[in-house]
Amino acid sequence: MSMDMTTVGEPGLLDTLQHEVAVFARRAEQTRLGGVGQVRNSMDRAAYLLLNRLDKEGPMGVKALAASMGIDSSTVTRQVAPLVDTGLVKRTSHPEDGRAVVLQLSPRGQSRLEEVRSSRRQLMAELTHDWAPEEREAFCTLLTRFNSALSARMAMPGNEPSNAS
């Protein structure tokens, strides 16, 4: 028996939740949560997520990078091209199969990513300066859980986004 999720919990609470998520998405896009100072708004979301993934997981091919991000290979190819052109990512031969190409964070990309991360950390500190450490932790835990639920839903057949990024 399928449960109507619109009736779970307080309808007013779900209305408030969906509204606040919409406002958050708009504010995040407006500011791009890009940090503070000169670095503010200096790196778009797609670039940040790609560089961050390469930093955390190491060199990988386009297909592996696309799979790990849950987006299409053609989207990764399109998004990584300007990162290669600006020297933030480099293409190298696969160590075991010289015919294959892997994408790798360049030293310049590593430096730029750390600069943006630092600026974004400063913004998060400013936005939550009056929060208790437990509140920051709880917010992070719940936001991670929310994002995981969204990712799982998007991975279900028929729920693919029309414009992934």
Side-chain angles (χ1 to χ4, degrees):
M1 176 184 237
S2 176
M3 184 181 295
D4 180 359
M5 293 306 288
T6 61
T7 62
V8 173
E10 183 79 27
L13 181 61
L14 293 176
D15 286 344
T16 300
L17 179 60
Q18 68 80 23
H19 175 77
E20 291 301 325
V21 168
V23 170
F24 172 76
R26 181 178 58 216
R27 296 274 188 266
E29 194 57 36
Q30 285 173 336
T31 65
R32 294 159 68 195
L33 291 179
V36 296
Q38 290 184 319
V39 180
R40 182 174 178 266
N41 293 335
S42 64
M43 183 179 289
D44 70 37
R45 178 190 58 214
Y48 178 78
L49 293 172
L50 283 166
L51 294 177
N52 200 53
R53 185 64 56 136
L54 288 172
D55 182 47
K56 291 193 181 300
E57 296 185 20
M60 64 180 77
V62 169
K63 286 183 183 178
L65 183 56
S68 75
M69 295 183 71
I71 59 178
D72 188 78
S73 292
S74 64
T75 301
V76 168
T77 299
R78 187 176 63 254
Q79 291 175 349
V80 85
L83 301 176
V84 171
D85 292 344
T86 57
L88 300 177
V89 170
K90 59 183 179 178
R91 289 186 176 109
T92 59
S93 296
H94 190 285
E96 296 169 12
D97 179 0
R99 299 168 296 165
V101 173
V102 294
L103 301 169
Q104 180 176 0
L105 197 58
S106 71
R108 182 170 181 231
Q110 181 69 54
S111 174
R112 185 77 181 98
L113 179 60
E114 188 46 47
E115 179 182 42
V116 171
R117 277 182 181 155
S118 177
S119 177
R120 289 179 177 197
R121 275 192 300 270
Q122 185 178 346
L123 177 62
M124 293 300 111
E126 288 178 15
L127 293 174
T128 62
H129 77 276
D130 59 347
W131 295 20
E134 311 78 60
E135 291 174 314
R136 283 181 175 173
E137 191 172 325
F139 183 70
C140 188
T141 297
L142 291 170
L143 190 56
T144 300
R145 186 173 166 190
F146 186 81
N147 282 333
S148 294
L150 278 174
S151 293
R153 187 176 192 329
M154 294 310 298
M156 294 170 56
N159 287 331
E160 298 85 8
S162 57
N163 184 12
S165 61

